[in-house]
Each structure stands twice: as C-alpha cells, then as structure tokens.
Amino acid sequence: MAAISDDLMNILRCPVAVHYTDKGADPGQLRLVKGSWLVCDDSGCKYPIRDDIPVMLVEVGEKWRNVAEADLPVPPPGA
C-alpha cells in the first residue's frame, strides 16, 4: 500500500485541473482512494501511485477518468 505523506498531499495538484478548469482559488486538490490512487474531483482524473511514487502525467490521469473509483485496480497496473 502506498505511503503518501501529508506534506506531499498538501502540495500535489492535478495538472489538468490547475491549467484547464476554473474551480476557485485552489483547483486540482487530490484525495487518496484505495491507498493507491490520487483522485481529482475538479477534473475527474485519477492518478496511480506506483512504488510509492504518484504518476502525475496528464495522459495517465485522463486514461482512468471514466473508470469508477470502485473499479480502480489495486495495485495499479504498470505503464
């Protein structure tokens, strides 16, 4: 199970939401789901955490956008 520090969670933001949405003063906040995914409610993007490293690439987050949180695989698949 991934270990993401509170400090890292406080600074990480979804790159899609930060650049392409108008969701207030602090867009792109992420929440930890299933201990292995970072989910952005502003953009709908879902970023896997692999080997304790968040994969914050736009194309990766968008790939999982339409997958329901309940259906996200644990652990996340490799590339």
Side-chain angles (χ1 to χ4, degrees), residues 4 11 19 24 27 38 51 55 57 73:
I4 301 294
I11 61 172
H19 292 289
L38 295 175
D51 299 321
V55 180
L57 300 172

Side-chain angles (χ1 to χ4, degrees), residues 47-60:
Y47 302 93
I49 301 169
R50 297 184 189 127
D51 299 321
D52 293 336
I53 300 170
V55 180
M56 301 296 297
L57 300 172
V58 170
E59 59 270 15
V60 174

Side-chain angles (χ1 to χ4, degrees), residues 9-11 34 73 79:
M9 286 297 295
N10 286 332
I11 61 172
K34 292 187 167 184

Side-chain angles (χ1 to χ4, degrees), residues 24-63:
D26 191 8
Q29 292 187 36
L30 300 162
R31 55 189 175 80
L32 187 62
V33 173
K34 292 187 167 184
S36 299
W37 292 87
L38 295 175
V39 174
C40 175
D41 293 324
D42 294 335
S43 71
C45 290
K46 298 170 181 81
Y47 302 93
I49 301 169
R50 297 184 189 127
D51 299 321
D52 293 336
I53 300 170
V55 180
M56 301 296 297
L57 300 172
V58 170
E59 59 270 15
V60 174
E62 288 180 339
K63 173 183 174 183

